[in-house]
Protein backbone atom coordinates (compact mmCIF):
# COMPACT_ATOMS: atom_id res chain seq x y z
CA UNK A 1 0.00 0.00 0.00
CA UNK A 2 1.41 3.39 -1.01
CA UNK A 3 0.67 6.89 0.22
CA UNK A 4 0.58 9.99 -1.83
CA UNK A 5 2.88 12.87 -1.00
CA UNK A 6 -0.10 14.89 0.30
CA UNK A 7 -1.00 12.05 2.69
CA UNK A 8 2.57 11.86 3.97
CA UNK A 9 2.59 15.65 4.56
CA UNK A 10 -0.70 15.37 6.48
CA UNK A 11 0.62 12.58 8.69
CA UNK A 12 3.82 14.46 9.36
CA UNK A 13 1.86 17.49 10.48
CA UNK A 14 -0.04 15.55 13.20
CA UNK A 15 2.85 15.21 15.68
CA UNK A 16 3.81 18.83 15.22
CA UNK A 17 0.21 19.99 15.66
CA UNK A 18 -0.05 17.91 18.82
CA UNK A 19 3.10 19.50 20.17
CA UNK A 20 1.79 22.96 19.37
CA UNK A 21 -1.53 22.25 21.09
CA UNK A 22 0.34 20.91 24.10
CA UNK A 23 2.47 24.02 24.27
CA UNK A 24 -0.64 26.20 24.03
CA UNK A 25 -2.24 24.18 26.85
CA UNK A 26 0.80 24.63 29.08
CA UNK A 27 0.79 28.33 28.29
CA UNK A 28 -2.86 28.64 29.36
CA UNK A 29 -2.13 26.68 32.58
CA UNK A 30 0.84 28.91 33.39
CA UNK A 31 -1.23 32.02 32.75
CA UNK A 32 -3.99 30.72 35.07
CA UNK A 33 -1.54 29.89 37.85
CA UNK A 34 0.07 33.30 37.51
CA UNK A 35 -3.30 35.01 37.73
CA UNK A 36 -4.20 33.04 40.85
CA UNK A 37 -0.87 33.68 42.57
CA UNK A 38 -0.92 37.41 41.80
CA UNK A 39 -4.20 37.99 43.62
CA UNK A 40 -4.46 40.20 46.70
CA UNK A 41 -3.35 38.64 49.99
CA UNK A 42 -5.56 38.21 53.07
CA UNK A 43 -6.68 41.10 55.23
CA UNK A 44 -4.68 41.08 58.47
CA UNK A 45 -6.17 41.80 61.90
CA UNK A 46 -4.70 42.50 65.33
CA UNK A 47 -6.11 42.64 68.86
CA UNK A 48 -6.06 45.93 70.75
CA UNK A 49 -5.53 46.97 74.38
CA UNK A 50 -8.76 48.09 76.09
CA UNK A 51 -8.69 50.77 78.84
CA UNK A 52 -9.75 49.71 82.32
CA UNK A 53 -9.89 51.12 85.84
CA UNK A 54 -6.37 51.83 87.18
CA UNK A 55 -5.93 50.98 90.85
CA UNK A 56 -3.02 50.53 93.27
CA UNK A 57 -1.87 47.27 94.78
CA UNK A 58 -0.69 43.98 93.40
CA UNK A 59 2.81 42.67 92.59
CA UNK A 60 5.40 45.00 91.13
CA UNK A 61 6.44 42.59 88.36
CA UNK A 62 3.89 40.47 86.48
CA UNK A 63 4.53 38.06 83.63
CA UNK A 64 1.77 37.02 81.24
CA UNK A 65 2.72 33.57 80.05
CA UNK A 66 2.24 32.32 76.51
CA UNK A 67 -1.33 31.02 76.44
CA UNK A 68 -2.34 27.53 75.43
CA UNK A 69 -4.58 27.66 72.35
CA UNK A 70 -6.93 24.89 71.23
CA UNK A 71 -5.56 23.33 68.04
CA UNK A 72 -8.66 24.24 66.05
CA UNK A 73 -8.03 27.94 66.75
CA UNK A 74 -4.25 27.87 66.36
CA UNK A 75 -4.06 28.81 62.69
CA UNK A 76 -3.25 31.82 60.52
CA UNK A 77 -6.77 32.24 59.12
CA UNK A 78 -9.31 33.56 61.59
CA UNK A 79 -11.92 31.20 62.98
CA UNK A 80 -15.07 33.30 62.69
CA UNK A 81 -17.60 30.89 64.22
CA UNK A 82 -17.66 27.85 66.47
CA UNK A 83 -21.02 26.09 66.71
CA UNK A 84 -19.67 23.31 68.89
CA UNK A 85 -19.74 20.88 65.99
CA UNK A 86 -18.30 22.98 63.18
CA UNK A 87 -15.58 25.62 62.86
CA UNK A 88 -15.97 28.30 60.20
CA UNK A 89 -12.62 29.64 58.99
CA UNK A 90 -12.38 32.84 56.97
CA UNK A 91 -10.95 32.51 53.46
CA UNK A 92 -9.79 36.13 53.29
CA UNK A 93 -9.02 37.25 56.85
CA UNK A 94 -5.96 36.26 58.88
CA UNK A 95 -4.22 37.20 62.13
CA UNK A 96 -1.30 39.57 61.67
CA UNK A 97 0.74 37.47 64.12
CA UNK A 98 0.35 34.17 65.95
CA UNK A 99 -2.84 34.14 68.00
CA UNK A 100 -1.01 33.05 71.17
CA UNK A 101 1.49 35.90 70.81
CA UNK A 102 -1.25 38.46 70.22
CA UNK A 103 -3.29 37.32 73.22
CA UNK A 104 -0.30 37.41 75.60
CA UNK A 105 0.86 40.85 74.48
CA UNK A 106 -2.66 42.32 74.50
CA UNK A 107 -3.43 40.89 77.94
CA UNK A 108 -0.10 42.25 79.22
CA UNK A 109 -1.02 45.68 77.85
CA UNK A 110 -4.46 45.46 79.48
CA UNK A 111 -2.94 44.61 82.85
CA UNK A 112 -0.28 47.33 82.58
CA UNK A 113 -3.07 49.85 82.04
CA UNK A 114 -4.83 48.59 85.19
CA UNK A 115 -1.66 48.57 87.34
CA UNK A 116 0.02 51.98 87.11
CA UNK A 117 3.62 51.76 88.22
CA UNK A 118 3.74 47.99 87.77
CA UNK A 119 5.96 46.29 85.21
CA UNK A 120 3.85 43.87 83.16
CA UNK A 121 5.45 41.90 80.34
CA UNK A 122 4.73 38.94 78.09
CA UNK A 123 6.69 35.71 78.51
CA UNK A 124 8.87 36.11 75.43
CA UNK A 125 9.71 39.79 75.99
CA UNK A 126 13.42 40.52 76.36
CA UNK A 127 13.41 41.54 80.03
CA UNK A 128 15.80 40.62 82.82
CA UNK A 129 13.39 41.21 85.73
CA UNK A 130 12.11 38.18 87.60
CA UNK A 131 8.31 38.25 87.92
CA UNK A 132 6.56 38.14 91.25
CA UNK A 133 3.35 36.70 89.76
CA UNK A 134 2.23 34.85 86.67
CA UNK A 135 -0.98 35.12 84.65
CA UNK A 136 -1.90 32.43 82.16
CA UNK A 137 -4.80 31.52 79.87
CA UNK A 138 -5.79 28.24 78.29
CA UNK A 139 -8.13 29.23 75.46
CA UNK A 140 -10.72 26.83 74.02
CA UNK A 141 -13.01 29.30 72.21
CA UNK A 142 -12.13 32.61 70.59
CA UNK A 143 -14.79 33.42 68.00
CA UNK A 144 -18.52 33.80 67.50
CA UNK A 145 -20.22 31.08 69.53
CA UNK A 146 -23.35 28.96 68.96
CA UNK A 147 -25.64 31.70 70.32
CA UNK A 148 -24.32 34.26 67.81
CA UNK A 149 -22.48 36.23 70.49
CA UNK A 150 -18.70 36.70 70.39
CA UNK A 151 -17.15 34.48 73.07
CA UNK A 152 -13.89 33.75 74.85
CA UNK A 153 -13.87 30.52 76.80
CA UNK A 154 -10.71 29.87 78.77
CA UNK A 155 -9.13 28.74 82.00
CA UNK A 156 -7.61 31.75 83.80
CA UNK A 157 -4.87 31.13 86.35
CA UNK A 158 -2.96 33.55 88.59
CA UNK A 159 -0.05 32.37 90.69
CA UNK A 160 2.72 33.83 92.81
CA UNK A 161 6.36 33.36 91.83
CA UNK A 162 9.23 31.73 93.63
CA UNK A 163 12.84 31.76 92.36
CA UNK A 164 11.76 32.88 88.90
CA UNK A 165 9.06 30.23 88.46
CA UNK A 166 5.48 29.68 89.62
CA UNK A 167 5.55 28.94 93.36
CA UNK A 168 4.99 25.29 94.21
CA UNK A 169 3.00 26.01 97.36
CA UNK A 170 2.10 29.65 96.92
CA UNK A 171 -1.28 31.28 96.49
CA UNK A 172 -2.96 29.97 93.38
CA UNK A 173 -6.16 30.98 91.62
CA UNK A 174 -7.72 29.16 88.68
CA UNK A 175 -11.19 29.46 87.24
CA UNK A 176 -12.96 28.42 84.09
CA UNK A 177 -14.40 31.57 82.55
CA UNK A 178 -16.76 32.35 79.69
CA UNK A 179 -17.14 35.97 78.65
CA UNK A 180 -19.36 36.98 75.78
CA UNK A 181 -20.79 40.04 74.11
CA UNK A 182 -23.07 40.65 71.13
CA UNK A 183 -21.21 41.78 68.04
CA UNK A 184 -22.08 45.30 66.86
CA UNK A 185 -22.60 43.88 63.36
CA UNK A 186 -21.57 40.91 61.28
CA UNK A 187 -18.08 40.66 59.87
CA UNK A 188 -14.53 40.01 61.03
CA UNK A 189 -13.72 43.55 62.20
CA UNK A 190 -16.62 43.80 64.70
CA UNK A 191 -15.74 40.31 65.98
CA UNK A 192 -12.07 41.22 66.55
CA UNK A 193 -13.12 44.44 68.31
CA UNK A 194 -15.47 42.44 70.57
CA UNK A 195 -12.72 39.89 71.31
CA UNK A 196 -10.42 42.75 72.37
CA UNK A 197 -13.13 44.03 74.73
CA UNK A 198 -13.59 40.55 76.20
CA UNK A 199 -9.85 40.20 76.80
CA UNK A 200 -10.13 43.44 78.76
CA UNK A 201 -12.80 41.80 80.93
CA UNK A 202 -10.48 38.85 81.57
CA UNK A 203 -7.77 41.35 82.54
CA UNK A 204 -10.20 42.86 85.07
CA UNK A 205 -10.72 39.41 86.65
CA UNK A 206 -6.98 38.70 86.72
CA UNK A 207 -6.30 42.15 88.22
CA UNK A 208 -8.77 41.52 91.05
CA UNK A 209 -6.97 38.29 91.95
CA UNK A 210 -3.52 39.87 91.69
CA UNK A 211 -4.51 42.62 94.13
CA UNK A 212 -5.56 39.95 96.65
CA UNK A 213 -2.10 38.37 96.66
CA UNK A 214 0.12 39.09 99.70
CA UNK A 215 2.99 41.53 99.08
CA UNK A 216 6.06 39.87 97.57
CA UNK A 217 9.47 41.44 98.29
CA UNK A 218 11.45 42.07 95.12
CA UNK A 219 14.91 40.64 94.57
CA UNK A 220 16.67 43.89 95.57
CA UNK A 221 14.89 43.97 98.93
CA UNK A 222 15.63 40.29 99.50
CA UNK A 223 19.31 40.79 98.67
CA UNK A 224 19.60 43.76 101.05
CA UNK A 225 17.90 41.82 103.84
CA UNK A 226 20.19 38.86 103.26
CA UNK A 227 23.31 41.06 103.33
CA UNK A 228 22.16 42.78 106.52
CA UNK A 229 21.52 39.43 108.18
CA UNK A 230 24.99 38.19 107.17
CA UNK A 231 26.74 41.24 108.64
CA UNK A 232 25.13 40.71 112.10
Amino acid sequence: MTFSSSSRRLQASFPRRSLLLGAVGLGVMATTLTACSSGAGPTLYTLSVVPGQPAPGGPRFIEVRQPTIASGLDRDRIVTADTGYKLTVSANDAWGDSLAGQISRTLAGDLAQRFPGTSVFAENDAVSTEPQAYVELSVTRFSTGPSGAVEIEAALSVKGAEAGAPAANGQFYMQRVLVQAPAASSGTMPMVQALSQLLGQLADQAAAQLRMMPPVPDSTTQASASASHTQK
Side-chain angles (χ1 to χ4, degrees):
M1 184 177 181
T2 58
F3 297 93
S4 64
S5 59
S6 60
S7 297
R8 285 193 297 270
R9 286 195 301 272
L10 183 60
Q11 287 178 332
S13 66
F14 284 156
R16 184 184 179 192
R17 185 175 299 173
S18 299
L19 289 174
L20 289 174
L21 289 174
V24 171
L26 289 174
V28 172
M29 183 183 297
T31 302
T32 303
L33 291 174
T34 302
C36 292
S37 62
S38 63
T43 303
L44 302 181
Y45 291 84
T46 60
L47 299 168
S48 179
V49 171
V50 174
Q53 182 62 44
R60 290 182 57 193
F61 305 102
I62 301 170
E63 178 178 304
V64 177
R65 310 202 88 181
Q66 191 85 348
T68 302
I69 308 293
S71 58
L73 301 172
D74 194 12
R75 59 181 73 236
D76 294 335
R77 301 288 173 161
I78 296 176
V79 175
T80 56
D82 179 0
T83 65
Y85 297 96
K86 177 185 176 182
L87 294 178
T88 301
V89 181
S90 175
N92 303 311
D93 301 324
W95 293 114
D97 194 0
S98 72
L99 183 56
Q102 285 204 59
I103 290 176
S104 63
R105 287 192 296 272
T106 303
L107 186 57
D110 288 334
L111 287 171
Q113 201 277 332
R114 287 152 176 78
F115 285 98
T118 294
S119 177
V120 186
F121 47 89
E123 180 178 1
N124 293 326
D125 288 350
V127 294
S128 58
T129 303
E130 289 189 356
Q132 297 175 339
Y134 292 94
V135 177
E136 189 170 4
L137 284 178
S138 179
V139 182
T140 54
R141 179 170 290 163
F142 201 78
S143 63
T144 302
S147 66
V150 179
E151 297 181 351
I152 298 178
E153 184 177 3
L156 170 65
S157 63
V158 176
K159 196 169 188 179
E162 186 177 80
N169 300 311
Q171 182 173 345
F172 179 73
Y173 164 85
M174 182 173 181
Q175 181 178 342
R176 193 80 186 172
V177 292
L178 173 63
V179 289
Q180 55 184 197
S185 59
S186 61
T188 304
M189 178 63 80
M191 187 191 76
V192 172
Q193 291 174 335
L195 288 171
S196 297
Q197 294 286 337
L198 295 178
L199 269 180
Q201 293 183 29
L202 289 180
D204 290 333
Q205 295 188 33
Q209 295 300 320
L210 287 164
R211 291 190 180 98
M212 293 173 61
M213 295 179 63
V216 180
D218 58 38
S219 57
T220 303
T221 303
Q222 290 176 333
S224 299
S226 177
S228 176
H229 179 74
T230 303
Q231 292 173 358
K232 290 182 180 180

